[in-house]
Structures are given as structure tokens and as C-alpha cells.
Amino acid sequence: MVWPAFAIWVVQTLITMAISYLLRPDVKSTATKAGLDQFKVTTSIVGREFPVLFGKKKLTGPNVVWYGDLKAVAIKQKTGGLIGSKSITVGYKYYLGMHMVLAHDVNSVTKIESDGDTLWEGTSTGGLIPIGDAGVFGRISFLNGGTITGNVDFEPGGPDQTPNDYLQKVYGTDDIPAYRGVACFVLRQVYVGTSEYIREWQIWAKNIYNGWYSAKAAIGDDHNPAHIIYETLTNKRWGLGYNADDIDSTTFTAVADTLYTENFGLSLLWDHSTSIEDFLSEILKHIDASLYIDIHTGKFKLKLIRADYDIEDLVLFDEDNIVSISNFRRRTLDDITNSVTVKFWDSATGEDSSTTLADIAMIAVSGRTNNTEITYRAVPNETLASFIAARDLRALSSSIASATITTNTEGLQIEPGTAFLLSWTSYGITEMVMRATSVTYGEFGDSSITIECVEDVFGISSAVYDSAPASLWTSPSS
């Protein structure tokens, strides 16, 4: 009969499967649980200073001042068939606590990313931020780690900030600092993946210093450069620490108004890799301005290089008040730049970008392209980059003159960035607008003043020349 034969076949099959299971080698787990010391974390090192944020930037590589509270959860996988299946450990999910310092000051956080994945997006000015999608891990193989998931405290570091309760718990004491004055992330035993490799975090953050002239401090998401310079001069924690009375507020306010009108906002992170003086010079280069101390008041003055004068109002320097002129020269055709490439950081993409502007007429005259690349790392968009490229090309593509002028005491009227008129008969110059780049005063008992100057690009079209006087040289040949 059919049924007894089928029953016999089933019994034989089961017996065969049982014998195979008993004779097979035992499958053991090869997964090794990592210890805390095996995690690759970008920790804070002695001497590494916290960066200073201006405007809106993507922060990477934060200072990790503590990590711990490690939890490892075994990942099980079943092996075997219908009979005698067993679970073995094939890996571990790791959860880690961490204390990250982002920068000295941060007003808000708008996005958190990791290796290109967006973990969170919104606007937080402080408090708990839930990151990642807890449901995503279940849909992604443990082999690629899934997404970072958990709760993060954003602590802006304000003057009334209290100690973090999670850090109090892991340290085992309430007697810990509140970490005021620095913006931090505290990871509350966050799921970080299935390996000791900690994926890089990218944190989009914004900070505007508005303790002075707050109405013009922000230009969109970017920072008014006049306020950047003001804060760098006066900040007591990371700046030069000058008092507000040391600043000529009138000139700073005028510059802030102009930059605001020009929509000239900057965003950058100063990481102390350059000196504070070099940092200030970089901002001045961006906006084309001079920063100096007024010898009469002892205060810092700020002046933009712009077409902001009437020629009729400019002071004239000629044979009556000039002691001597030296190093007078003009750019030759070989010295002239006819194409400018501005490199900048595009806040829309978070990537480096560039824009190029060329003077077609000068290229035709010289018969070749002479390009100059200039990096402006604080420029946040192509519109501003193009504005700066046009500004620099106008200056670099002009055959402007430069000179060193030594004057009598009338030179006291000239400050760095000041425009004035030059007249010098032996050079055939009747009226030329010059711009002071630096002013040096004589030692005690020496009333002479030395002015390094260049021809002002805004006044080139108004220059007046006369034929130079006849030479007094007589040929020795008879």
C-alpha cells in the first residue's frame, strides 16, 4: 500500500537528518567583543584649543574630552536546520557615552550628519536632540552597522548652564563643572555601530556675536565682518581682551553699515592654526579694509577701501610738503593679472567651490592669460565670490603706480587706507589719487612721516598728467 511505504520513507529521512546533525562539527562563534580602549575616538589632546565659530559652518572632528559607559549587546544568528538549530554570536552592537566640545560659542545647531547620512535636521538652541531612526537598524544588516541612534544633549554653554545629569551619573558625583563658555554635545550611551570605528560626525552650527551693534551683526546666516573684528579685539576668553573704550565705535559702525548694505556676510571657523593677528589680517583681506590705531586717540579704527570720497575734498601732497619720493614704479604688462579665480566654501553644498572672472580686453592686449588664484575661505556663496573676484580683477589688471613718500608734519593727516592727491612735476603728475597702505612716524626728534601708497583704482580715470620737464642731460659726444 502507498501510505505504509510513505511512512517508512519519512522515518528513514528523519533518522538520516538526526545522524547528520549528530555527526556535524560544532559551530562556534568567532565574534570578539571590543573593549573601551579599542575604540578609535578623536580625543582632545593637550594644547589643542577649542575653535571659534563665526556665522554658519559644518563642524567636523570635535574635541572628545571624555568617552565611556560602553555597552555591548550580542548579535545572535541561528544555525542548523529543522532539528537542533542553535544561536551563535556573530557580532556586537556598541553603545557609547561621549562628551564632545564643538566650539567656544554656538547659538544653534541645524543638522547632524554622519558619513553623509542625515541623523537629525531642525533647529535646536539647547536641550535634548533625538538622533537617527530607531526603526532603520532593523531594516539594515548588522554587518554595515546601521544608523547612529540615541539621545544627544546640546549644551550651548551659556552663563546659566547647569551640570549635565548624565555626566553626573557616569562620573558618580554631582560635583562636576557646568562647562559654561563652550558649546558641547553629550551622547547618552548612543548606539554607534558594530565596530570600534567611530564614524565621523558633521554638525551644522551657527553662531553670531551680537553684544555690540546687534541690529547689523547677522547678514542672513552669516556674520558681519565688522563684528568679527570687533569681537576678536574685545573677547576676554579667546580674543585680545581690549575694552570697548579702546574701539573707535564710529568707524566700526560705519563699516558695519556698509558691509550690511553690500550683503557682505562671512562664515568661518578659526581653529587657532594661525595667530590671532594673522586671523584679523585674513578678515581684512576679505573685505579690503585697514585696521589701525589712531595716534591721536589711541583707539582702533576700521576703514574700508571703497570709492567713498570726493576728489575736491582730498588733501594734496606736492613739492611743498613732500620731502622725497622713492620706489616710484608702475606695473608692466607682465605684472598685470588678467584673470582671477576665487576659491571659497559654498554653504549651500558644504563643499569647496570656485569662480573665475577674466578681463578679455587685457588678455587680448597681452596675448596670453595670466591667472591668479586667491582663496577666501570665509566666503559662503558664489554671489559674494563673484563680487570679490570683480574687485580683485579691477585692482590687479590695472597698471597702477606705487611709491614711498616722505612728508613733513602735514603727513599726520594721513592714516592707513586714506586717499589723497599726489602732484610731482618731475614725474609729469599733476593730480593722481593715491591710497596709503601704511604710515610710519619718525623717531623722537624726527618729524618726517613715511607713507607707503598705491594709486587708487577708483580714481584712475580722474588722474591728470602733464608732460615731464625737458631733460638737463647733455650728450658728451661732439
Side-chain angles (χ1 to χ4, degrees):
M1 296 179 62
V2 177
W3 284 109
F6 177 73
I8 293 171
W9 176 82
V10 171
V11 171
Q12 288 176 337
T13 300
L14 292 175
I15 292 172
T16 301
M17 292 174 62
I19 293 172
S20 298
Y21 174 76
L22 293 173
L23 294 178
R24 73 172 185 171
D26 189 22
V27 180
K28 295 182 179 180
S29 171
T30 57
T32 303
K33 182 166 64 174
L36 186 62
D37 60 338
Q38 294 175 274
F39 280 80
K40 310 298 188 295
V41 178
T42 307
T43 56
S44 178
I45 58 176
V46 175
R48 181 185 178 190
E49 298 187 60
F50 300 139
V52 184
L53 174 64
F54 302 94
K56 185 178 181 180
K57 289 287 286 186
K58 180 172 66 175
L59 312 182
T60 59
N63 285 275
V64 179
V65 295
W66 169 85
Y67 67 99
D69 196 21
L70 173 65
K71 182 176 77 171
V73 177
I75 301 172
K76 299 290 186 178
Q77 191 175 76
K78 286 188 177 182
T79 63
L82 297 174
I83 300 177
S85 64
K86 61 180 294 186
S87 294
I88 63 170
T89 300
V90 294
Y92 290 89
K93 302 177 188 176
Y94 294 109
Y95 299 78
L96 197 62
M98 202 175 296
H99 187 190
M100 300 177 176
V101 178
L102 309 181
H104 271 286
D105 300 284
V106 172
N107 297 149
S108 62
V109 172
T110 58
K111 185 190 292 186
I112 303 172
E113 299 175 320
S114 176
D115 287 351
D117 295 330
T118 299
L119 305 179
W120 171 87
E121 191 167 7
T123 299
S124 174
T125 57
L128 188 141
I129 301 175
I131 63 170
D133 180 0
V136 172
F137 182 84
R139 301 193 295 271
I140 298 179
S141 167
F142 68 88
L143 293 176
N144 64 25
T147 188
I148 297 173
T149 308
N151 291 321
V152 174
D153 291 331
F154 169 43
E155 302 198 325
D160 56 349
Q161 185 166 282
T162 58
N164 183 271
D165 63 321
Y166 172 73
L167 294 179
Q168 287 178 325
K169 185 185 74 172
V170 295
Y171 287 152
T173 177
D174 292 341
D175 188 20
I176 66 169
Y179 298 100
R180 296 166 184 158
V182 289
C184 302
F185 267 8
V186 177
L187 280 61
R188 292 176 169 265
Q189 201 179 60
V190 167
Y191 168 69
V192 294
T194 57
S195 73
E196 310 91 89
Y197 168 71
I198 303 296
R199 282 169 285 183
E200 185 181 72
W201 287 50
Q202 297 91 33
I203 302 157
W204 290 79
K206 179 180 175 181
N207 184 63
I208 303 293
Y209 289 102
N210 58 6
W212 166 77
Y213 197 22
S214 59
K216 301 291 179 70
I219 302 176
D221 286 332
D222 307 306
H223 216 313
N224 192 317
H227 291 72
I228 295 176
I229 296 171
Y230 186 96
E231 191 67 30
T232 303
L233 291 173
T234 59
N235 193 283
K236 304 294 184 182
R237 286 184 289 118
W238 51 262
L240 291 173
Y242 285 97
N243 296 319
D245 291 341
D246 297 319
I247 310 297
D248 186 317
S249 183
T250 300
T251 61
F252 271 73
T253 300
V255 170
D257 287 339
T258 299
L259 293 172
Y260 190 88
T261 301
E262 294 177 346
N263 203 30
F264 207 125
L266 301 180
S267 287
L268 78 162
L269 189 73
W270 178 45
D271 60 2
H272 304 275
S273 59
T274 59
S275 68
I276 197 165
E277 291 79 12
D278 287 342
F279 171 71
L280 285 170
S281 295
E282 182 180 11
I283 302 302
L284 294 171
K285 172 188 170 185
H286 276 69
I287 63 176
D288 197 13
S290 295
L291 176 69
Y292 57 94
I293 296 177
D294 189 320
I295 63 169
H296 306 289
T297 64
K299 295 185 177 185
F300 282 99
K301 279 187 171 182
L302 185 61
K303 180 173 180 56
L304 290 172
I305 309 302
R306 300 290 191 271
D308 54 359
Y309 56 82
D310 292 325
I311 292 180
E312 293 78 8
D313 298 332
L314 299 182
V315 177
L316 174 65
F317 283 88
D318 55 17
E319 286 83 356
D320 292 336
N321 48 19
I322 293 178
V323 178
S324 65
I325 295 181
S326 60
N327 302 322
F328 186 90
R329 65 181 298 270
R330 283 191 178 276
R331 288 184 187 147
T332 65
L333 196 59
D334 291 336
D335 296 328
I336 289 176
T337 293
N338 50 37
S339 175
V340 170
T341 297
V342 169
K343 294 184 174 181
F344 64 100
W345 182 80
D346 193 339
S347 61
T349 63
E351 304 294 336
D352 293 333
S353 188
S354 65
T355 186
T356 299
L357 195 63
D359 187 329
I360 305 301
M362 287 305 300
I363 292 176
V365 170
S366 62
R368 64 187 179 91
T369 299
N370 185 15
N371 181 264
T372 296
E373 288 188 354
I374 309 175
T375 299
Y376 291 100
R377 64 188 182 100
V379 171
N381 57 69
E382 188 169 3
T383 300
L384 182 57
S386 298
F387 174 83
I388 293 175
R391 178 197 72 189
D392 289 357
L393 183 61
R394 181 174 59 245
L396 296 174
S397 64
S398 302
S399 181
I400 59 176
S402 61
T404 301
I405 300 174
T406 302
T407 75
N408 58 21
T409 54
E410 289 189 38
L412 287 172
Q413 303 172 77
I414 305 301
E415 297 175 326
T418 301
F420 61 91
L421 289 177
L422 172 65
S423 175
W424 200 251
T425 305
S426 60
Y427 290 158
I429 301 172
T430 301
E431 189 177 271
M432 178 189 293
V433 181
M434 303 294 286
R435 181 86 67 165
T437 57
S438 68
V439 181
T440 304
Y441 305 97
E443 301 292 335
F444 182 76
D446 180 6
S447 60
S448 65
I449 297 165
T450 302
I451 303 171
E452 300 286 343
C453 56
V454 296
E455 187 176 1
D456 187 64
V457 294
F458 302 110
I460 290 177
S461 60
S462 62
V464 179
Y465 300 94
D466 193 3
S467 59
S471 173
L472 299 178
W473 179 79
T474 302
S475 174
S477 174
S478 60

